[in-house]
Amino acid sequence: QLQPQREAEHWQRGIALYYAGDFAAGAQQFKLHQTVNPQDVENAAWHFLCESRCSQATVDGARERLIQVTRDSRAPMSQIQQMYAGLMTPEEVLQVGEKAGGDAQFYADLYVGLYYEALGRDAESLQRMRSAADNPAARGNYMGDVARVHVALRTDATEKENGDATKSEETRKILLLAGEPSHGYGAHDHWAGCNLLAQSLNNSGLPIEAQVYRSGWPRDAKAFDGVDCVVMYGDGGGGH
């Protein structure tokens, strides 16, 4: 804000806007950056990524507005440009990166991972981003930090979604039937065993409510009302 004449230089701000979810502002930042850095495939890729996630946007629409870059000589940038344009597959980009190794492999994993995210292929995206973050070429540089932050953010989001899905599941009721005593104290203790299992289930954090009925089959059929699963723990064989 204090140096508005430098606004076009701030490509890092565009990346921050992407992860903040302000995709329209991010797209505008990368479009502006193109005026001072016109031959940078990475800028074109990030512009595409923001464009593809703007309100009412599509991947095809982002391709139509892809910034054209023809003179970025870094490997595998020309292939990355073609992939975002829909003219090359991610597998082909990864092959080029793997063959060149080092920085090229890092950038191939990074921009294929980001491309997969734009396509909604989140599991494949996170796999590629993890490969990028773990690449020795990613150490001590800004884009390596981007890869590591991406993995941390998306992993946290996935774990939260899975946790929320578990919490939102309907609670399942389990009834454990403890068989009648049949041995001496401390041997075949069905009542104690069922209580131990019920306590473990109820403390698991899963949407489960476990209850124990003592000494054989319930005399009142209402004990089974709302029950999803019945577990019987007692003597085997003819004792059932």
Side-chain angles (χ1 to χ4, degrees), residues 50-67:
C50 287
E51 283 279 353
S52 69
R53 300 190 68 177
C54 287
S55 178
Q56 307 299 319
T58 64
V59 170
D60 289 339
R63 283 203 180 101
E64 292 176 3
R65 294 182 291 277
L66 181 65
I67 295 172

Side-chain angles (χ1 to χ4, degrees), residues 55-119:
S55 178
Q56 307 299 319
T58 64
V59 170
D60 289 339
R63 283 203 180 101
E64 292 176 3
R65 294 182 291 277
L66 181 65
I67 295 172
Q68 297 302 311
V69 178
T70 58
R71 296 198 302 273
D72 191 334
S73 61
R74 297 173 296 161
M77 291 301 166
S78 63
Q79 290 83 8
I80 290 170
Q81 176 80 19
Q82 292 182 65
M83 176 181 68
Y84 280 79
L87 303 175
M88 182 172 281
T89 66
E91 291 75 20
E92 290 173 314
V93 174
L94 292 171
Q95 288 173 4
V96 172
E98 185 177 359
K99 185 176 180 179
D103 287 347
Q105 187 166 12
F106 163 72
Y107 283 114
D109 282 328
L110 177 71
Y111 285 105
V112 167
L114 290 164
Y115 183 66
Y116 279 151
E117 182 165 84
L119 299 181

